[in-house]
Amino acid sequence: MLRTFLKHLQLSAIKTHSKPRASEVLTSHLLNRGKPYWTSYFVRYSSVKNDQFGLSHFNWNVEGVNYHILRTGCYPFIKYHCTKRPYEDLTLENKLFTFLKVINIGIPTLAYGLVSSFLIRYHEDILVKTSGETVRIFFLLEEDKNSMY
């Protein structure tokens, strides 16, 4: 099992040159949804370049609209929760969430990812405009695209 896991990591490292960045998928999803009030999705680590490593809570600007992003790695996924909100300095929260993940040795996030693998009920394919790649993102439930909550 360990050998299979290490081989998967090796293959993931080799394939990363043709994958879109996770940040590009994030932006494309928010634009495809018409800049929603909120959204929450998973993307597989193996589908993207993880260019937001170390970011847990941060601002993300999409064509003049600010989002607060809660992001965590939960193998085999990266989980994003996005809420349209005014810009705030989230440095302290980002450090706090990152600290909590480190002192827990990532065990809760790993458990969340593994359990989510069984709970996911819906997916969408996102065309990443900057790279032309299509990436599948996953949802626990199909979202009401016009919902404020």
Side-chain angles (χ1 to χ4, degrees):
M1 184 167 176
L2 180 60
R3 185 175 291 162
T4 304
F5 177 74
L6 292 174
K7 183 153 183 97
H8 173 73
L9 287 179
Q10 252 182 345
L11 290 174
S12 294
I14 292 169
K15 293 179 185 177
T16 53
H17 70 281
S18 65
K19 297 177 195 176
R21 295 177 306 195
S23 60
E24 294 172 314
V25 174
L26 172 61
T27 298
S28 293
H29 174 57
L30 293 171
L31 288 173
N32 289 347
R33 283 281 174 95
K35 301 180 209 164
Y37 294 103
W38 73 275
T39 185
S40 180
Y41 70 93
F42 297 86
V43 62
R44 288 190 188 281
Y45 271 110
S46 60
S47 299
V48 294
K49 291 179 191 172
N50 187 11
D51 65 328
Q52 295 171 320
F53 180 80
L55 294 176
S56 296
H57 194 203
F58 57 96
N59 291 287
W60 194 254
N61 188 292
V62 178
E63 294 182 346
V65 176
N66 192 68
Y67 284 88
H68 286 201
I69 309 296
L70 283 167
R71 178 197 171 282
T72 194
C74 50
Y75 190 83
F77 301 103
I78 303 170
K79 167 72 178 204
Y80 285 88
H81 186 277
C82 315
T83 308
K84 190 186 286 186
R85 295 189 57 195
Y87 178 90
E88 291 179 41
D89 183 2
L90 300 173
T91 305
L92 183 61
E93 289 93 337
N94 184 56
K95 288 178 181 177
L96 174 65
F97 291 138
T98 302
F99 173 74
L100 291 172
K101 290 182 212 177
V102 169
I103 64 168
N104 285 307
I105 317 169
I107 293 170
T109 57
L110 174 62
Y112 182 43
L114 295 174
V115 169
S116 295
S117 297
F118 297 103
L119 297 177
I120 287 172
R121 297 286 178 252
Y122 184 74
H123 69 268
E124 292 180 11
D125 294 325
I126 300 298
L127 176 63
V128 180
K129 294 174 180 141
T130 52
S131 68
E133 299 285 326
T134 300
V135 175
R136 181 162 286 180
I137 61 174
F138 302 89
F139 303 86
L140 294 177
L141 299 169
E142 185 174 2
E143 294 181 350
D144 177 354
K145 295 177 177 142
N146 297 315
S147 174
M148 290 183 68
Y149 309 101

